[in-house]
Amino acid sequence: MIGPTAIPGRVLRAMNHISISHRSKEYSAVHERVTTNLKKVFNTKNEVLVLTSSGTGAMEAVILNCFSAGDEIVVPVIGKFSEQYAQMAEIYGLKVKRVMFEYGRTADVEIVMKEVTSSTKGVFVVHNESSTGIYNDIEAFGKALKDTNALLVVDSVSGLGGLEIRMDEWNIDAALTSSQKALMSPAGLAFVALSEKAWSKVECSSFPKYYFDFKIARKFNEVHQTLTTPAVYTLFAVDEALKMIFEEGLENIYIRNKNNTKRLLEGIKETGLNLLAKDEKFASPTLTAVHVPGKSKYFISELAKRDVIVGGGMPPLTEDVFRVGTMGYVSKNDVTVFLHELKDVVKNLNLSLN
Ligand SMILES: *Cc1c(COP(=O)(O)O)cnc(C)c1O
């Protein structure tokens, strides 16, 4: 169990492929299949653009295409990734109103909405905050923002494919993800979908851009291609991963992740350790943060000795948290093995403290 995610053998083997031109029919067929399948995961009628970048690049692209310098936005900050978006928007000259929440809590929609006015151009919400293992109620944000001028921008990098997202029903205006988290593929590609409301804002954005220009991307997307050479091998991987996802069924994956997380949370608490999540209702089904103040390095190295790989904490919780992924190809048995080894680590730690 690791973060980013383990790549299934089938996905690895799909990359064992002869080189193809990104201007060939063969490429376009894969591109079309991937974007068509991704629409089903985003739950949208909007087209899905393919960018060769990581998820952060896709967020930067949304800022560049849907906003202009001086625009006012609201960012609920519940962890490192939401804070990073606030900083990124400031670098581009947007006026950012941060709404801070204690790390381990979900963003309270009512509190956030108090900052939204008629001049608010966007609200940037992280679907699944990977630094704290907490998800936000995107549906509630969509309801609250529906009749406002603001665009609802959602980072679902560690959500999409593992945690339900319904772009159209939830009134999401810009949704983005990347290939290497719940999509079980190598890094290299990001995927973005925009609502009509967001496309109308693209017309007014005054930022210069070329590589990340959504209007250019849209033209190429019509013929199932991209402006420049894309990460073709990552696309082969995502194509196969999506086949696996639909074979298992999205609903079944969401349930598997939820059940794995439930057992994980119970098992962690049984060892006497604490979760970072302050309200388990919003504990992420794709990633769990365990709160071990000052001891994260100890847990990571002790688990690694037992062949269990977990992620470290992220600033400012670097030393205080380790993170366990349940996204992607994680089975009930993986959770059992993890809990068994964790119990052993905790037992040894308690012995050494006594
Ligand atoms: C991993 C992650 C990112 C950053 O994605 P990159 O592809 O590394 O740029 C952004 N947001 C969230 C929630 C993430 O988990």
Side-chain angles (χ1 to χ4, degrees):
M1 292 215 260
I2 52 172
T5 40
I7 302 172
R10 252 181 81 178
V11 173
L12 285 172
R13 285 190 293 278
M15 289 187 285
N16 190 351
H17 197 293
I18 57 157
S19 178
I20 60 168
S21 161
H22 61 286
R23 300 296 178 217
S24 66
K25 277 197 186 119
E26 191 180 2
Y27 170 82
S28 291
V30 182
H31 182 116
E32 183 175 12
R33 191 161 58 236
V34 166
T35 52
T36 305
N37 278 334
L38 278 172
K39 282 184 188 183
K40 295 179 200 157
V41 190
F42 278 91
N43 277 297
T44 187
K45 291 198 183 68
N46 302 311
E47 66 187 299
V48 174
L49 303 176
V50 179
L51 303 176
T52 290
S53 84
S54 80
T56 309
M59 185 53 113
E60 192 152 341
V62 169
I63 294 172
L64 281 173
N65 282 275
C66 302
F67 297 90
S68 301
D71 281 358
E72 193 179 292
I73 63 160
V74 173
V75 182
V77 175
I78 68 164
K80 189 229 167 209
F81 288 104
S82 20
E83 171 55 32
Q84 187 170 303
Y85 292 145
Q87 286 173 18
M88 199 195 286
E90 279 169 345
I91 285 168
Y92 281 102
L94 274 64
K95 284 193 210 122
V96 179
K97 281 200 224 165
R98 284 176 178 72
V99 188
M100 305 298 295
F101 295 93
E102 186 188 359
Y103 286 12
R105 290 204 181 278
T106 193
D108 183 310
V109 182
E110 273 179 38
I111 294 174
V112 175
M113 286 308 293
K114 283 189 187 135
E115 300 300 323
V116 175
T117 67
S118 58
S119 50
T120 306
K121 296 279 167 53
V123 179
F124 288 18
V125 188
V126 171
H127 187 194
N128 189 70
E129 177 52 75
S130 318
S131 66
T132 60
I134 296 294
Y135 72 89
N136 281 316
D137 186 349
I138 301 299
E139 186 176 10
F141 274 102
K143 269 197 192 123
L145 289 165
K146 189 170 186 219
D147 299 315
T148 67
N149 295 326
L151 297 181
L152 174 56
V153 176
V154 176
D155 158 345
S156 193
V157 171
S158 65
L160 190 130
L163 171 63
E164 183 175 52
I165 181 164
R166 306 193 74 82
M167 180 171 191
D168 296 354
E169 277 169 52
W170 295 354
N171 307 308
I172 300 171
D173 295 300
L176 61 100
T177 194
S178 58
S179 50
Q180 81 280 15
K181 302 273 174 82
L183 292 177
M184 310 183 284
S185 298
L189 289 175
F191 305 102
V192 188
L194 299 186
S195 70
E196 268 174 44
K197 183 174 165 187
W199 278 112
S200 75
K201 305 288 177 188
V202 170
E203 296 303 324
C204 343
S205 164
S206 63
F207 285 122
K209 60 236 160 206
Y210 179 69
Y211 185 74
F212 277 139
D213 189 323
F214 284 166
K215 284 202 264 184
I216 300 177
R218 189 181 214 181
K219 281 225 169 72
F220 278 91
N221 209 37
E222 278 166 17
V223 290
H224 314 297
Q225 290 188 11
T226 50
L227 167 67
T228 58
T229 316
V232 176
Y233 282 78
T234 302
L235 195 73
F236 289 145
V238 174
D239 186 31
E240 190 66 26
L242 287 165
K243 282 180 197 161
M244 288 178 69
I245 286 173
F246 290 114
E247 278 168 25
E248 183 176 355
L250 267 177
E251 284 305 318
N252 294 332
I253 293 173
Y254 300 148
I255 291 167
R256 173 166 55 84
N257 292 347
K258 258 189 212 155
N259 288 342
N260 280 342
T261 299
K262 193 163 169 261
R263 296 183 61 239
L264 190 61
L265 299 186
E266 280 162 11
I268 290 166
K269 288 187 289 184
E270 267 170 33
T271 67
L273 295 177
N274 294 315
L275 306 169
L276 185 66
K278 301 283 190 290
D279 178 357
E280 276 179 42
K281 188 176 165 229
F282 293 100
S284 159
T286 60
L287 178 140
T288 297
V290 187
H291 196 207
V292 287
K295 291 205 189 67
S296 75
K297 295 222 165 70
Y298 175 83
F299 276 93
I300 293 162
S301 72
E302 286 301 310
L303 286 165
K305 283 182 200 161
R306 293 159 175 85
D307 289 330
V308 174
I309 309 301
V310 296
M314 298 182 110
L317 299 168
T318 316
E319 306 289 330
D320 304 329
V321 156
F322 68 88
R323 298 172 306 139
V324 190
T326 40
M327 67 184 90
Y329 205 56
V330 170
S331 67
K332 191 172 166 182
N333 188 52
D334 293 330
V335 177
T336 306
V337 169
F338 167 79
L339 288 173
H340 180 80
E341 301 300 340
L342 182 68
K343 274 180 195 142
D344 192 45
V345 173
V346 173
K347 195 176 86 190
N348 286 342
L349 178 66
N350 289 343
L351 285 177
S352 70
L353 293 178
N354 286 336

